[in-house]
Amino acid sequence: MLQLDFSLLAMLEFYASPVMFGIYISFGLFLVLAYVIENHPEWRVSILFDLLYEKVSVFYGDILGEEAHSSVKTYVVTLFFVIFLINIFSVLVSFFSPLFWISEKGNFLLDSYLIFPTSDVQFNIALSFFSTLLVLYVQFGSLGYKKFFYNYVPVFGKGYLEVEKGKLPNIAYYPLKVGVKIGDIIISLFLWFLDIIGLFAKVISLAFRLFGNMTSGTVLLGMIIVWISSFSHGLTEFVWGINLPIILPIIVYLQGLLVAVIQAMVFPLLVAIFIRMAMMEA
């Protein structure tokens, strides 16, 4: 009974965590946006979204190529809009975070209750993991199951090393051929090991690139506001009623908005390039 209570408590803590609240809010905003686009196509928001969707579809479609399946293109475009909208929501929330004051550690108190998922490394790892699985799925469909299996388990080598008999006698040629074949198998297995590491590297690099760029802006903003507040408070002891203008945080907000847009483009762009490379291997 005690173990069951602990598991229920852990489940409640998970579903009531700041990241989950961010996911709930993001999902709700997605539904609102979908409702507006579906039922009010004449609104400016709907028109702007349609134009953006068309441009993004053409951009990633050119990268993936005409031979890419429509479902793959839809996934990449959807990935862009999911990251883009969540990043924009995150920047807007960080804009209003100073209204809820700052904790003693220098963090915004709102961050203790609401964190949008692109600022959480676990969510980004999940996106990267499923994107890497899609790359493997496309590679599987392009190569076929035999070539795909042998591409990752080259137990007989891939022909990186070869030897020609020429004028060599059989007594010298066949031992040399066996040695070259063994060396080819060793090289092939070593490169296979690097390919497996490369798959994990794709997941980690995609996830931490998005996580680092989205969290760095919030940390930098908090440090600047704390510094300006303490510096302004020190000036008021000598000059009555003088307070510094909050210019630097506005610059950081603009920088955060730019990073939000760029990261929304870069993540699906890398996924599209990986998919294109997987198709070209066939």
Side-chain angles (χ1 to χ4, degrees):
M1 185 65 180
L2 182 60
Q3 182 178 1
L4 180 61
D5 291 339
F6 277 119
S7 61
L8 290 176
L9 181 60
M11 185 179 299
L12 289 175
E13 290 180 353
F14 172 76
Y15 286 107
S17 62
V19 176
M20 290 305 299
F21 279 126
I23 294 176
Y24 300 149
I25 294 176
S26 300
F27 184 72
L29 292 174
F30 290 156
L31 293 179
V32 172
L33 181 60
Y35 175 81
V36 170
I37 295 172
E38 181 69 23
N39 296 278
H40 300 283
E42 73 282 359
W43 286 11
R44 292 183 180 180
V45 175
S46 302
I47 297 174
L48 181 62
F49 183 85
D50 289 338
L51 292 175
L52 182 60
Y53 182 84
E54 181 179 356
K55 297 296 183 181
V56 171
S57 299
V58 173
F59 175 73
Y60 289 112
D62 292 339
I63 297 174
L64 292 169
E66 296 181 356
E67 62 271 21
H69 197 272
S70 59
S71 60
V72 175
K73 296 180 180 179
T74 302
Y75 174 84
V76 174
V77 174
T78 303
L79 190 63
F80 166 80
F81 280 101
V82 168
I83 298 175
F84 173 73
L85 293 175
I86 292 178
N87 287 352
I88 295 299
F89 298 155
S90 179
V91 172
L92 292 176
V93 169
S94 66
F95 181 79
F96 294 102
S97 293
L99 299 177
F100 298 91
W101 203 240
I102 303 172
S103 64
E104 296 179 356
K105 298 180 179 180
N107 300 324
F108 296 124
L109 291 179
L110 187 60
D111 293 339
S112 302
Y113 304 97
L114 178 61
I115 298 177
F116 279 92
T118 51
S119 298
D120 180 70
V121 66
Q122 295 181 3
F123 179 84
N124 296 331
I125 289 177
L127 282 183
S128 303
F129 177 75
F130 285 109
S131 299
T132 304
L133 287 182
L134 178 63
V135 174
L136 293 176
Y137 174 77
V138 172
Q139 189 178 33
F140 179 83
S142 300
L143 295 176
Y145 72 94
K146 291 183 178 179
K147 291 183 179 180
F148 177 82
F149 178 78
Y150 192 75
N151 185 58
Y152 285 98
V153 190
V155 291
F156 300 107
K158 287 189 173 182
Y160 294 114
L161 299 178
E162 295 180 356
V163 61
E164 295 182 0
K165 183 176 180 181
K167 297 182 179 180
L168 289 175
N170 292 336
I171 193 172
Y173 169 70
Y174 286 108
L176 180 61
K177 184 177 181 180
V178 172
V180 170
K181 187 63 177 180
I182 294 174
D184 178 59
I185 293 175
I186 293 174
I187 293 176
S188 299
L189 291 176
F190 177 73
L191 294 177
W192 160 78
F193 178 71
L194 294 181
D195 288 339
I196 297 301
I197 294 178
L199 291 177
F200 288 101
K202 287 178 182 178
V203 175
I204 300 300
S205 62
L206 286 172
F208 280 89
R209 179 184 289 108
L210 181 59
F211 167 75
N213 285 285
M214 292 310 300
T215 54
S216 60
T218 302
V219 175
L220 179 62
L221 182 63
M223 293 172 61
I224 290 176
I225 290 181
V226 170
W227 176 79
I228 290 178
S229 298
S230 60
F231 188 67
S232 299
H233 181 71
L235 284 180
T236 56
E237 296 180 359
F238 301 97
V239 183
W240 295 338
I242 290 182
N243 217 333
L244 289 180
I246 310 299
I247 297 178
L248 287 177
I250 294 178
I251 297 176
V252 177
Y253 286 130
L254 296 177
Q255 180 262 349
L257 187 62
L258 180 62
V259 169
V261 176
I262 292 176
Q263 290 304 312
M265 292 184 61
V266 169
F267 193 100
L269 176 63
L270 294 175
V271 174
I273 292 174
F274 293 151
I275 293 174
R276 181 64 178 173
M277 292 174 61
M279 291 188 296
M280 291 177 64
E281 288 183 3

